[in-house]
Amino acid sequence: MIQGEKVVLRAIEEADTELCHRWMNDPEVTRFLGMGMPLTLAAERRWVTSDRDPLKDLVVMIQTLEGAPIGSCGLHSDHAQSRCAELGISIGEKEYWGQGYGADAVLTLCGFGFGQMNLHRIWLRVFDFNARGKRCYEKCGFQQEGRMREAVYKHGAYHDVHVMGLLDREYREKFPERWSRMCV
């Protein structure tokens, strides 16, 4: 388990399948995700129980300090030589939106990625209509690096996708207390 200030990141278990299935079939939750098609319970179970190479694909459940599972996040990399990974996050329990749980999960996951996985750069993609997500990522130190014009078709229109990135030294400078906790 990886301890944050508001959340704990833990391994996703098979018992989480139905919860993840509910989240991934909620249009409000998937609105800001790259996916948008309904998933079967069997497909979700395959995803939850799949063997992942932890050096390339770290996926964890986000839960409150009280133990309530509220979402999932992960670092995905095929760039071991460059020490880069793409961050993905989803808070599935809507009553926890806008309360800082997502930001704490992002900061906690990035701290682990930089401090324990020896990553150099963490990056993400965010849709142009996801203002709340973009503000969260900026609060966490991510900077806009580029824009892919009309790269995604969602909700009946094409939208730009913003690419944002965070370097290990930027995280260390902006969040020294988190950095010191992750590097023990």
Side-chain angles (χ1 to χ4, degrees):
M1 295 198 334
I2 307 164
Q3 179 81 39
E5 294 176 3
K6 297 184 82 160
V7 301
V8 171
L9 306 180
R10 64 158 174 86
I12 294 180
E13 304 289 343
E14 190 169 354
D16 298 318
T17 301
E18 289 187 17
L19 187 58
C20 292
H21 177 256
R22 179 172 55 83
W23 294 338
M24 292 302 106
N25 282 285
D26 183 333
E28 285 183 88
V29 173
T30 61
R31 178 171 186 235
F32 301 114
L33 302 180
M35 56 167 309
M37 302 297 174
L39 286 176
T40 65
L41 186 57
E44 192 67 37
R45 184 170 283 108
R46 281 191 301 277
W47 179 82
V48 167
T49 60
S50 65
D51 283 331
R52 294 179 183 86
D53 179 346
L55 298 176
K56 291 184 177 182
D57 200 26
L58 172 67
V59 180
V60 292
M61 179 65 72
I62 304 166
Q63 68 182 34
T64 65
L65 296 179
E66 296 75 35
I70 62 170
S72 64
C73 60
L75 293 171
H76 315 283
S77 175
D78 283 329
H79 310 286
Q81 181 178 354
S82 299
R83 297 178 21 234
C84 297
E86 181 178 10
L87 184 142
I89 182 169
S90 175
I91 302 294
E93 296 297 332
K94 293 176 271 194
E95 64 266 24
Y96 292 91
W97 289 1
Q99 298 181 44
Y101 290 96
D104 187 49
V106 167
L107 287 170
T108 302
L109 186 62
C110 287
F112 184 81
F114 292 133
Q116 297 298 317
M117 296 173 68
N118 194 30
L119 292 174
H120 172 66
R121 178 176 173 269
I122 297 174
W123 66 282
L124 57 86
R125 290 176 273 195
V126 59
F127 301 143
D128 60 0
F129 58 87
N130 187 355
R132 185 178 67 219
K134 195 167 182 199
R135 279 192 308 275
C136 171
Y137 302 135
E138 288 169 344
K139 175 181 167 183
C140 294
F142 283 82
Q143 298 177 33
Q144 184 159 330
E145 297 179 339
R147 184 181 84 204
M148 298 184 295
R149 299 176 307 132
E150 297 183 8
V152 68
Y153 185 79
K154 293 277 272 186
H155 317 294
Y158 286 97
H159 297 277
D160 292 352
V161 177
H162 298 268
V163 177
M164 301 180 78
L166 177 64
L167 302 177
D168 56 349
R169 68 176 171 268
E170 295 166 341
Y171 182 93
R172 189 172 50 248
E173 290 167 6
K174 187 166 177 138
F175 305 104
E177 71 293 342
R178 284 183 179 264
W179 177 261
S180 62
R181 280 198 317 258
M182 288 297 165
C183 293
V184 254

